[in-house]
Every structure is written in structure tokens, then in C-alpha cells.
Amino acid sequence: MPHEPILEVTGLRKSFGKTPVLTGIDLAVQPGETVALLGPSGSGKTTLLRCLNFLERADAGTLRIEEQRVDLRHAHSKQILALRRRTAMVFQNYDLFLNKTVLQNVTEGLIVARKVSKDEAIATARDVLSQVGLSTRLDARPHELSGGQQQRVGIARALAIKPAVLLFDEPTSALDPEKVQEILDVIRAVAQTGMTLLIVTHKMGFAYEVAHRVVFMEGGEIVEQGTPAQVFGAPKQERTRQFVSRFTEGKAPEYFI
Amino acid sequence: MRLDWDTLVYFFPKLLAKLPLTISIVLVATVFGLLLGLALALARLERVPVLRQASGVLVSFLRGTPIIVQMFLVYFGLPLVLQTVGVDIRDWDKIWFVYLTYSLNAAAFFSEILRSSIGAVPKAQWDAAAGCGLTRAQTYRRIVLPQSVAIALPATGMTITGLLQDTSLAFMLGIVDVIGQVKAMGSITGHLLEGYIVAAFFFVVLSLLLERLFHRAEKKVTLRQRTS
Ligand SMILES: Nc1ncnc2c1ncn2[C@@H]1O[C@H](COP(=O)(O)OP(=O)(O)O)[C@@H](O)[C@H]1O
Ligand SMILES: [Mg+2]
């Protein structure tokens, strides 16, 4: 892709105490690209996403999103706030605001952080909520919704603020198995609108089908990346091969889950 | 000593007339106690240098000493302290010293309640708010404090009920609230028991009303937001 990356992170390092968790991450994401981040549990995928919007403070590295460039270690709170407003995150456990209705969950960031007028925010919220398949129950509270519905709201909340990059951290792994596919379908539809997505997932079939690029992480570093066909079909690294084979078990990539 | 029915009936309106004063102590202490308590809690939660240590010491002191001691310290000590900076409050009405003491005392208890209930809001709520671009202050105001109110309600209700009982010591400063009136009329008429019976009735009724009020408030907020 010839574009200038919309997100570019270089030399990202992070330790918790004395334990290194990310040992030098370089990653660029192109505008409109869907990147799937794969890797075994504990490989640092969540920490990477959290460093990208400063939910964790990295020890070193730089990050550029659109035209804003920051030092990940030394960024001050104004820069952090501005940078956060260029991303949005969809969480594994949805993490909807428990004291807000469905509609308020989506309008909150617009009204409070972006100073959008209330009417405009509500219009946007209705729009994105219908995009994720929720047009009723807008006055329900999170605890009244199923996991699948909550995650739809989580996705709508992220979409509403029209981020440059949408970050997903295992968006389906807390869901009942029968709800997984419908949420993946919602995400696929979002990807097809041309938004830029960085998705941590264990759904290999989904990554294969939807991602333009697959990034395989292990032990706090990026081991291999490439098109789904390359990474799943002909992994170059032994570690990637081992990881992928656990899911494919000899099946052609098109058929695994 | 015999219980005299006529005295009971005679005392009832006299003590009832003092009820607003007793309630005013509880109300003032609740309102200012909550505001100051929140400030004290935030000083510690946000690790504000100096204020954080000051808050810790003040709260420990206020929780660790009897309110009667605090009242006399405020009444006799504060004017002395303020005198050194040229402020003379010695002729202030005693009720202001009572309001101040009870507000400070309540603040200490409320600060501990708020601190733990704010801490009980899941960290993920902070992350979600940050992810939406909210500042820390906005997150407190719009997400965390509303949720911690729900968590804090039961303990807050108990603290206010305790505050109501504690007002029974304000007469020591010469305040003629319900208990002060019991004492005063007791020494005039020689009937103390009747006064205490009527006072007990008022306190029980007020406590029950408070309990009902908080019970309803809790039901309302837990219907609206169930913390996961
Ligand atoms: N807040 C934290 N404190 C200490 N260790 C952490 C913290 N968060 C994550 N870790 C550790 O960092 C490593 C990577 O975790 P994580 O980023 O969650 O991996 P993944 O999302 O790939 O499963 C794990 O070993 C985990 O135990
Ligand atoms: Mg994870």
C-alpha cells in the first residue's frame, strides 16, 4: 500500500516491574486497513493496545496517529488527551458505563469530550446504533442487556467518535458462543466501511477472511506479519507455524473457525 | 419517681418546637460534611501532595476522638487560634461552633465512605471513559461519582443516623435543642424522665424516617444501575 500509515508506532517497550512485556514493537497501519493481531495469551497484545491510547504508559517508543506524533514515555496530559481522541477502544468485557443508558453510553464521549451539541450527538448515536443493529432498547441500562447487545453498544460507542483508528481487544471472547458470529458480522461490516481497525482476536477464520494483514506476536515481540494467506498458509517462522497449526489442524485456511 | 402523663403531654410541644434545631444540626453537618468529606477523599485518592497527608491526619483525629472533645476544642480552641491572626469569633453564637464541629466530624466519616466507594467503582469504567476521551475530572463527575453514590448509600444512611444520635451532646455547649430543652425543663419542673421519653420518641421517629428514605433511595439507584 502506497499510503502514509495512519498509525505508526516505533520502538515501543513496556515492562511491568521487572518483567518485560513488550520488547520493542514497530507497527504501521494504513488508512482503511484491518489488521488482526494474533498471539498466545500473555504475549502482550492487550498491553500493546492499551499503550496506544495511554491506558498504560509505555517505557519507550514513539507513536504517530494522523499528524500527531508523541513520545510514548514522556507525553504530557494534553497530548495524551488529544491522542486518545483519535482512537477508540472496544473492550473484551464491553465496559459500558454502568450508570448510563444505551443512548447515553454512545453520546457521552461526543457531548463531554468533543463538545458536540446534544441533539447532534443523539442523532449520531441513533445512527451508529442502528449500524450495529440496535434500534430499540435505547433507554435500557447495561445490566438489562445480553452480552451480545452490550458489545454492540460498545462498538457503537467507539464508532460514534469517528476515530482515526478503532482498537478491538478480543471483542468476542466474553460472549456466549452463539453470539460470537453476530458480533463478528458487525465488525466485518464496520471494516467494509473503510475504517481503520486493529483487532486482537483468537478467531482465526475471521482474521483470515476480514483482515488485510495479520500480525503474529509472541513473548512481547512481533514474530511475523503478512497477508492472511501468507501467515496462515505459509508461515516463515517456526513459532508462527506452531501457533497457526493449533487452529488449522491440517484444514485449509478457508475452513477453520 | 413516677411517670406523670400530664407532664408528658405538656413536654411534647415544647420539645417538638426544638426539633428543627436538632434537625438543622444534622442537615448542616450532612451537607457540609459531604462536601468536605469529598474533598478529603479526593486529596487522598488523587495523591495531592501535602493535602493528602493533612487529610489523613485530620480524618484519623476526627474519627479517633469523641465528638464532645472535638466540640470543646472547636469552641475554646478555635477562637484562640484565630485570635493570633487577628480574627475575633469569640462572640459568635454557640450554634455555629456546633455546626462546625458536627460538619467536621461528619466529613471524616463521609470521606472514608466516599474513598472506599469510589475505589469500588471498577477500574474498567475509568479505562472506558479515558477511551472515550474524557478527562479525569469529567470521569469523576459523570461516571465514577454517580456510581459511587450508589455504593455509598447504605453506609451514608447509617452515618447520618449516627449523626442524629450524636446531636444529643450539643447541649453540653449550652445549645437548647431537643436534649437541651429536656435538661432545662427537667431542672425547672423536676421531671426528667418524661422529657427523655418524649425525646426518645422523636429520635426513634426520625431514625425510622431516615431509614425509610435511604431504603427507597437504594432501591431506586440499584434499579437504575447494577454494578455488574
Ligand atoms: N497491570 C499489569 N501488571 C502486571 N503485569 C501485567 C499487567 N497487565 C499485563 N501483565 C502481564 O503482561 C503480560 C502480557 O499481558 P497481556 O498484554 O494481557 O497479554 P495478552 O493480551 O496477549 O494475553 C502477561 O504476562 C501479564 O501477566
Ligand atoms: Mg489480552
Side-chain angles (χ1 to χ4, degrees):
Chain A
M1 278 188 218
H3 295 99
E4 168 90 336
I6 194 166
L7 177 149
E8 199 172 9
V9 55
T10 53
L12 192 165
R13 253 195 275 275
K14 170 73 184 170
S15 301
F16 286 111
K18 286 203 162 82
T19 319
V21 171
L22 297 172
T23 57
I25 300 285
D26 299 305
L27 182 66
V29 180
Q30 305 295 330
E33 195 181 20
T34 295
V35 175
L37 199 53
L38 313 180
S41 164
S43 56
K45 307 176 299 293
T46 296
T47 306
L48 172 56
L49 286 197
R50 290 173 60 85
C51 285
L52 294 182
N53 60 2
F54 288 91
L55 294 180
E56 301 289 351
R57 174 75 76 150
D59 302 328
T62 59
L63 171 64
R64 184 183 58 74
I65 299 180
E66 295 174 309
E67 70 280 0
Q68 191 189 358
R69 184 186 299 275
V70 295
D71 181 311
L72 283 167
R73 183 188 174 98
H74 298 292
H76 49 75
S77 53
K78 271 226 170 75
Q79 291 176 312
I80 291 176
L81 201 59
L83 200 113
R84 271 187 188 151
R85 289 176 181 177
R86 295 177 193 273
T87 63
M89 183 124 156
V90 175
F91 298 90
Q92 185 172 349
N93 296 309
Y94 335 124
D95 298 340
L96 301 184
F97 302 130
L98 301 170
N99 58 322
K100 304 269 172 197
T101 64
V102 165
L103 194 68
Q104 290 166 340
N105 260 278
V106 182
T107 57
E108 189 67 14
L110 293 171
I111 296 172
V112 180
R114 272 151 220 256
K115 309 292 178 210
V116 172
S117 79
K118 199 171 172 207
D119 288 345
E120 202 181 319
I122 289 173
T124 306
R126 287 184 186 282
D127 215 41
V128 287
L129 280 164
S130 78
Q131 193 183 332
V132 299
L134 261 184
S135 308
T136 57
R137 313 210 56 197
L138 302 193
D139 293 322
R141 306 266 166 182
H143 66 84
E144 298 169 312
L145 302 178
S146 71
Q149 288 169 322
Q150 289 192 54
Q151 194 58 301
R152 286 170 196 266
V153 180
I155 295 169
R157 178 172 70 176
L159 282 176
I161 58 182
K162 301 195 170 59
V165 182
L166 204 48
L167 309 169
F168 290 80
D169 189 9
E170 298 194 32
T172 60
S173 57
L175 292 172
D176 295 337
E178 72 271 17
K179 296 292 170 75
V180 168
Q181 195 52 50
E182 56 179 70
I183 293 302
L184 290 178
D185 290 342
V186 170
I187 299 172
R188 182 199 320 262
V190 170
Q192 282 162 356
T193 65
M195 286 215 51
T196 310
L197 272 52
L198 181 54
I199 307 181
V200 173
T201 182
H202 289 300
K203 296 291 152 193
M204 300 300 148
F206 174 80
Y208 183 82
E209 272 179 61
V210 177
H212 300 105
R213 185 152 51 99
V214 170
V215 175
F216 173 66
M217 274 180 76
E218 195 182 329
E221 59 182 7
I222 292 176
V223 174
E224 181 166 356
Q225 53 179 307
T227 64
Q230 282 166 356
V231 173
F232 289 121
K236 294 193 193 75
Q237 304 290 329
E238 181 52 31
R239 286 195 282 174
T240 317
R241 211 184 327 266
Q242 280 178 6
F243 180 76
V244 166
S245 70
R246 273 194 270 145
F247 294 91
T248 55
E249 286 166 348
K251 281 179 275 182
E254 295 84 78
Y255 296 107
F256 52 71
I257 13 152
Chain B
M1 203 143 87
R2 269 182 48 245
L3 186 62
D4 181 12
W5 182 254
D6 288 340
T7 311
L8 270 182
V9 174
Y10 172 69
F11 272 17
F12 193 90
K14 305 259 183 220
L15 296 188
L16 186 64
K18 296 299 175 185
L19 206 51
L21 186 62
T22 295
I23 293 173
S24 81
I25 300 174
V26 176
L27 269 182
V28 167
T30 299
V31 170
F32 289 99
L34 278 174
L35 291 175
L36 181 60
L38 181 60
L40 290 170
L42 289 178
R44 293 174 84 179
L45 286 166
E46 293 297 303
R47 300 169 195 279
V48 183
V50 187
L51 287 184
R52 167 194 182 191
Q53 285 84 358
S55 162
V57 171
L58 184 64
V59 168
S60 300
F61 173 78
L62 290 167
R63 279 163 40 105
T65 53
I67 195 161
I68 187 82
V69 171
Q70 294 163 20
M71 195 158 65
F72 283 118
L73 282 176
V74 167
Y75 184 62
F76 293 113
L78 190 63
L80 285 180
V81 173
L82 289 182
Q83 218 174 356
T84 63
V85 293
V87 181
D88 188 1
I89 61 165
R90 280 171 302 176
D91 55 354
W92 276 19
D93 194 304
K94 284 172 178 167
I95 191 66
W96 296 107
F97 294 94
V98 170
Y99 285 153
L100 182 60
T101 305
Y102 282 82
S103 296
L104 284 171
N105 185 266
F109 287 91
F110 287 141
S111 96
E112 291 303 273
I113 293 170
L114 287 168
R115 206 157 65 96
S116 69
S117 59
I118 289 170
V121 173
K123 191 178 166 294
Q125 293 285 301
W126 284 96
D127 290 346
C132 287
L134 270 62
T135 64
R136 228 179 141 70
Q138 288 167 340
T139 306
Y140 265 118
R141 220 168 45 240
R142 313 220 14 131
I143 309 296
V144 172
L145 287 180
Q147 291 183 33
S148 45
V149 164
I151 303 169
L153 267 178
T156 304
M158 284 196 290
T159 300
I160 296 176
T161 309
L163 206 56
L164 172 66
Q165 320 301 348
D166 279 351
T167 61
S168 59
L169 289 170
F171 82 91
M172 299 279 284
L173 219 56
I175 298 293
V176 190
D177 62 347
V178 172
I179 297 294
Q181 184 78 330
V182 171
K183 293 272 181 193
M185 297 188 62
S187 59
I188 296 167
T189 62
H191 289 276
L192 258 179
L193 180 60
E194 288 82 355
Y196 279 122
I197 289 174
V198 175
F201 172 76
F202 288 150
F203 278 95
V204 166
V205 169
L206 280 181
S207 297
L208 286 176
L209 282 177
L210 268 173
E211 199 180 304
R212 284 282 296 274
L213 183 77
F214 272 85
H215 189 70
R216 284 175 69 163
E218 276 162 47
K219 259 173 95 171
K220 206 170 146 189
V221 291
T222 44
L223 270 182
R224 282 160 56 102
Q225 41 173 302
R226 200 166 305 150
T227 322
S228 53

